Each structure stands twice: as structure tokens, then as C-alpha cells.
Amino acid sequence: MIPKSSCVEALPNGRKKDDDNNFFKKITDKLPENVRSDVQELMGASATSLKSIFESGVPSQVGYGFMMGYSSGFCLKKVSRFLAFGLGGIFIIVQAMSYNGYIKVNYDGIQQDIENFLDLNKDGKVDAKDAEFGFNRIKDVLEYNMPSGGGFSAGLMMGLRG
């Protein structure tokens, strides 16, 4: 049988695998005895807690929720830019046709229709409350039946900003 010390694998950075295993031992050996026992107890409790957390599946749910939220936010950002591009293009064409006398545009009617469409909370004005109302409605639809809403919300915000 080959002794364990002769089977130590070298890592790409020149360190050995056993160095990682002895890292905490080297640190705790330098601590006073009363502190050392507290640190070892804390490390044991932390390992037990981490094990139960990972076994519960919560980290994978949060990771999945974050990933889906980020992807949704990224997609919403790209789609909104595409829609703004299309709307701007239509406006340019209509404005050019109006300027050249081909069509007459009732801008007051268009403005009234758009304001009615964008007034999501129906308070008679388009403001930040409407934007918040619309965002929350979209978020509620996208979070529906997701295993971890908190991870999804954080990912959605990151995707919209990133």
C-alpha cells in the first residue's frame, strides 16, 4: 500500500491538495485553547447548517430563480428597445408624410389614446405610480409559481439594469 503522503496531488498553482485541508488546522493551532475550541465548534455548527441548507434545495431554487429573473429582465430590456425603435420609426414616417401634405394627423386624439393606455392605475394622469403598477404587474406574472421569488426579483432587476 502506498502511503498517503506520497499520493499528494500537485495543483496548477504549485500548491498541494493537502495544503487546503491543513489551512484551517494551521490557523486554529495558533489560537489560544479557549478560542480554538470555540472556533472548532463554530466551524462544526456551520458545516452542519450548510449541509442542511444545501440538502433542502434552497440554494438551487434561488440560483434557478435568479437565472430566470436575469434572463427575463435581459429579454424585457431588449424587447423594450426594439419596440421603442419601431415606434420611433413609425413616428418618423408619419411625421414625414404629414409634413409633405399626404396625411393629416390628429395629434390630440393620439395623445389622449396613448395617455389612456398608459394610465394603468386609472387615476387620470400618467406618472411614476403607473410605471410602478406596470412593473409590479409584469413581475407578478413572471414570478408566478417560481420556487424562489426573492432570487427571481433580484435577477430581474439585474437583467433590466445589465
Side-chain angles (χ1 to χ4, degrees):
M1 182 166 170
I2 302 171
K4 183 178 182 203
S5 60
S6 66
C7 294
V8 175
E9 181 182 332
L11 299 173
N13 60 6
R15 292 183 18 229
K16 298 177 181 174
K17 263 191 175 174
D18 278 357
D19 291 347
D20 292 336
N21 296 337
N22 294 326
F23 176 73
F24 288 110
K25 184 174 182 342
K26 288 177 185 176
I27 291 173
T28 56
D29 285 347
K30 294 178 182 178
L31 297 172
E33 182 59 42
N34 59 340
V35 175
R36 185 181 321 152
S37 63
D38 290 342
V39 168
Q40 289 172 341
E41 183 179 326
L42 179 63
M43 287 173 55
S46 298
T48 303
S49 296
L50 285 173
K51 182 179 179 189
S52 66
I53 288 170
F54 282 112
E55 286 175 350
S56 72
V58 170
S60 64
Q61 291 174 358
V62 171
Y64 174 75
F66 181 85
M67 184 176 65
M68 291 299 105
Y70 183 85
S71 300
S72 298
F74 185 82
C75 179
L76 283 172
K77 183 177 178 180
K78 296 296 181 188
V79 167
S80 66
R81 285 185 177 180
F82 178 75
L83 291 175
F85 178 81
L87 185 61
I90 290 170
F91 174 77
I92 290 169
I93 292 169
V94 168
Q95 191 65 8
M97 292 176 73
S98 175
Y99 178 80
N100 288 310
Y102 292 109
I103 60 173
K104 289 190 184 264
V105 181
N106 180 1
Y107 283 110
D108 292 332
I110 292 174
Q111 180 180 357
Q112 185 65 38
D113 289 345
I114 290 175
E115 285 178 358
N116 287 338
F117 177 76
L118 294 176
D119 185 19
L120 297 176
N121 61 2
K122 305 299 179 202
D123 65 352
K125 59 186 176 201
V126 178
D127 55 7
K129 291 178 185 175
D130 293 307
E132 182 180 348
F133 183 83
F135 176 76
N136 287 334
R137 208 153 95 190
I138 289 170
K139 190 172 69 110
D140 290 343
V141 168
L142 295 176
E143 281 182 343
Y144 182 73
N145 276 340
M146 286 295 295
S148 175
F152 182 87
S153 296
L156 182 63
M157 294 305 294
M158 293 285 290
L160 287 170
R161 291 182 184 189

